[in-house]
Amino acid sequence: MRKVLTLLSAFLLGLSGLSMAPVVAMADPSPIAGPTIGYAVGDAVLGTGGSAQHLTFSMIDRSSGDRGTVSYANASAAVAYDASVMAVRATNTGARFAYTIPSTAPASVAGLIIVWQVKDSSPDTAAFSVAATPSQALTMVASGFTPSNSYTVSNGGLDTRSTGSTGLRGYAFGNGAFGTSPRQHLAFAVLDYGPTMDTGVAFYANLDSSLLYEAATPVVRVSYAQARFAYTIPAGFPGLSGLPLAWKVANGAPDSAGFSVATSATAAAAMVNAGFTPTYAYRLTAGDITVVQLYLLLGHATGGVWFGPAGASQQMTFQVSDYAWTADHGYVSYRNLSAAVAYRASVHRVRVTPHVAWFDYVIPSGSLKGTVVVWKVVDVLGGPDQVGFSVASSLTTADSMVLHGFTPTNQYTVTHGNLTVHMP
């Protein structure tokens, strides 16, 4: 099992002797082609006996905004706090992240800007420096630095990864405590890519025992404010190793987490994909869970149809998709041979309901360039399909027509071909 960081004992118990190291550029592994997303997750017990410290963290590295939390506790120093990260840089071999210790911590450390460098290795290592300003901390995260204080993880683990975001449907990450008997903790980051390539990691700890393990999450589903994921407890934990678990976590007020034990890994995956009610369900007593839905397909429509009277027949091929929380997309290819009109356009807005779809676009070229067109297509069960369009005065007006529905100015019955309208 991978280990994690060993951290702040020196600086939490006596920061006056620490010096800040200069920022030094450090080489990172070659980046992945295309848009990326990374994560850093860990749960570490640092030191032993009365001086033992506990650090957990879960964070996401995205160009659109890094997010994550760090929790730290040192019982002997009477220090405990939760902090939000200001920046993260994650690779397949390690991560750097920065945060400001909040005002709820003891005055001796509150307000300090901490920059960590963790290495996902064997054993895992961690090191930190204190930054003078937020700007310097951001530079240290982005460019690398030589840490002032370095440690080897004594118990626990960390996991970091950078991967492509193409096809990513959603992700979830969290760092939270729940339950009373036993007291439990879950730190995780999971990425939903659909049916074939989900990824992520979870660290589970029973705080009333020595149980702490790391498990990969090969099956993930993100839906609205909820995420489900499955894993198998790894070897090395008698009586538990090999058990397949399915988890369900949710953004809420408060956040919640729960799990069920499955009969097999296949059964756990089926629970994740189909949905389930956890056998053991909890509200978080501390920490935070974040679920981000990126691509939720509400419906789609496709077709290749002919319509219009003899001598003025028209042809349209289209494929459009209606998404929640992200831009709709699709294309339309249209021809009217009698009017010498032909073009291919990208759609702007799509709405799909059972058997009916609306979409709009701006004609990109030709004599009608700049014209805004709004279509309504109807998948008629047991009869000929229907298509119709209107010309809108603006794209804003067209979007409103798509969202609220309209009666086309030009209405046709499909004479050849077929169109389909689907909802997931």
Side-chain angles (χ1 to χ4, degrees), residues 266-331:
T266 300
M271 295 164 67
V272 167
N273 289 320
F276 70 103
T277 299
T279 305
Y280 306 96
Y282 308 90
R283 292 183 175 183
L284 260 62
T285 55
D288 181 67
I289 289 173
T290 299
V291 180
V292 178
Q293 178 79 64
L294 294 178
Y295 299 99
L296 179 63
L297 181 64
L298 301 178
H300 60 98
T302 60
V305 295
W306 288 87
F307 50 92
S313 62
Q314 303 163 69
Q315 182 189 30
M316 180 171 65
T317 301
F318 63 93
Q319 180 174 320
V320 298
S321 298
D322 179 8
Y323 284 96
W325 303 309
T326 192
D328 301 331
H329 68 77
Y331 73 90

Side-chain angles (χ1 to χ4, degrees), residues 184-208:
Q184 302 167 74
H185 191 277
L186 182 71
F188 67 93
V190 293
L191 281 61
D192 177 7
Y193 287 92
T196 59
M197 55 175 293
D198 299 335
T199 189
V201 65
F203 288 84
Y204 172 85
N206 182 325
L207 302 180
D208 294 327

Side-chain angles (χ1 to χ4, degrees), residues 102-121:
S103 59
T104 53
S108 59
V109 297
L112 288 174
I113 302 171
I114 308 303
V115 188
W116 280 97
Q117 178 175 281
V118 301
K119 293 186 178 180
D120 188 0
S121 54

Side-chain angles (χ1 to χ4, degrees), residues 17 165 197 256 315 348 368 391 416:
S165 64
M197 55 175 293
S256 62
Q315 182 189 30
H348 184 258
L368 298 176
V391 174
H416 181 68

Side-chain angles (χ1 to χ4, degrees), residues 235-263:
F237 302 92
L240 297 175
S241 295
L243 283 179
L245 300 185
W247 281 85
K248 179 180 179 180
V249 299
N251 272 135
D255 296 341
S256 62
F259 69 93
S260 293
V261 179
T263 56

Side-chain angles (χ1 to χ4, degrees), residues 10 86 225 274 307 312 403:
M86 66 177 72
F307 50 92
L403 292 177

